[in-house]
Amino acid sequence: MTRAWQRLEAHAGHPVRRHFLHLLAWLDRGSYYAILLAMGLMTLLVCAQVVARYLLGTSIDSADELSRLCFVWAIFLAIPHGIKSGIHVGIDALVSHLPAGAQRRLAQLMAALGVVLMVILGVVGTGAVIDKWPQLMPTMPITAAVFYIAVLISAIHCALHLIAQCLELEPLPSAPAGPDSGHDRGEEVRP
């Protein structure tokens, strides 16, 4: 068992919490590898297209479409990782002047509103997948809905991370550090 799993076990005492956090950890790990695969495939496709076009005088018909598909999947699979770590852009000019308790509650409220938005995105994404399913990509016999499936998966994954933040099962990235985090004692905190 890795240190991350040990921290997860220590943080989630209740079995339901533990299973939920295990699910999130597996989703994070799987999407991380899918992002690596999509980025690697995209890089190989673009390089192969450049070599084919400029050195061999030919072109790979589906390279542009496949590389765009890989890019879309990589971006949408990466969004939940940004939510988890709190690296998305936010403006906290007003919030930073509030007491720590109010900051924490406001962060939970924003996470709850984020869940609502992800549910709406999931519903709209499902409609887009259904609508685009019969349509094929121009250069490949693959449904055009695969672009929208990435949005749907991202919405579900994001919603799960936001639910974990609402329930304080994982740290609220936009909330101040808690008293037991080590920040108040000048200790270095490692994720």
Side-chain angles (χ1 to χ4, degrees):
M1 197 182 312
T2 64
R3 281 198 283 166
W5 281 102
Q6 289 170 345
R7 283 195 312 262
L8 187 135
E9 291 285 335
H11 183 67
H14 194 274
V16 173
R17 286 184 188 175
R18 190 168 42 252
H19 291 305
F20 183 75
L21 290 175
H22 278 267
L23 170 70
L24 270 179
W26 281 108
L27 277 174
D28 287 344
R29 182 170 288 181
S31 66
Y32 175 76
Y33 289 122
I35 292 165
L36 288 176
L37 179 68
M39 294 295 286
L41 186 59
M42 180 182 63
T43 303
L44 287 173
L45 283 167
V46 170
C47 289
Q49 176 71 342
V50 168
V51 167
R53 183 171 288 166
Y54 293 106
L55 294 180
L56 303 176
T58 186
S59 180
I60 303 170
D61 291 337
S62 58
D64 291 336
E65 209 161 37
L66 275 174
S67 62
R68 187 172 37 253
L69 180 63
C70 289
F71 180 74
V72 166
W73 273 83
I75 293 300
F76 279 101
L77 290 177
I79 291 172
H81 295 279
I83 288 176
K84 178 183 179 179
S85 60
I87 61 170
H88 292 296
V89 175
I91 300 172
D92 63 353
L94 176 64
V95 176
S96 63
H97 296 293
L98 296 174
Q103 287 182 30
R104 183 167 267 100
R105 293 293 169 229
L106 189 57
Q108 283 180 302
L109 175 64
M110 293 299 108
L113 290 174
V115 170
V116 171
L117 288 174
M118 290 302 119
V119 168
I120 292 169
L121 181 62
V123 170
V124 171
T126 302
V129 168
I130 292 168
D131 184 49
K132 295 292 181 185
W133 196 264
Q135 184 180 344
L136 296 178
M137 290 186 189
T139 60
M140 296 179 300
I142 297 174
T143 178
V146 293
F147 284 102
Y148 300 95
I149 293 170
V151 176
L152 188 57
I153 291 170
S154 177
I156 293 167
H157 194 174
C158 287
L160 291 174
H161 273 295
L162 290 166
I163 288 168
Q165 290 175 5
C166 285
L167 301 175
E168 294 186 330
L169 297 178
E170 66 182 24
L172 290 159
S174 56
D180 59 344
S181 67
H183 288 295
D184 57 342
R185 296 184 300 274
E187 298 173 12
E188 183 181 341
V189 177
R190 294 203 167 107

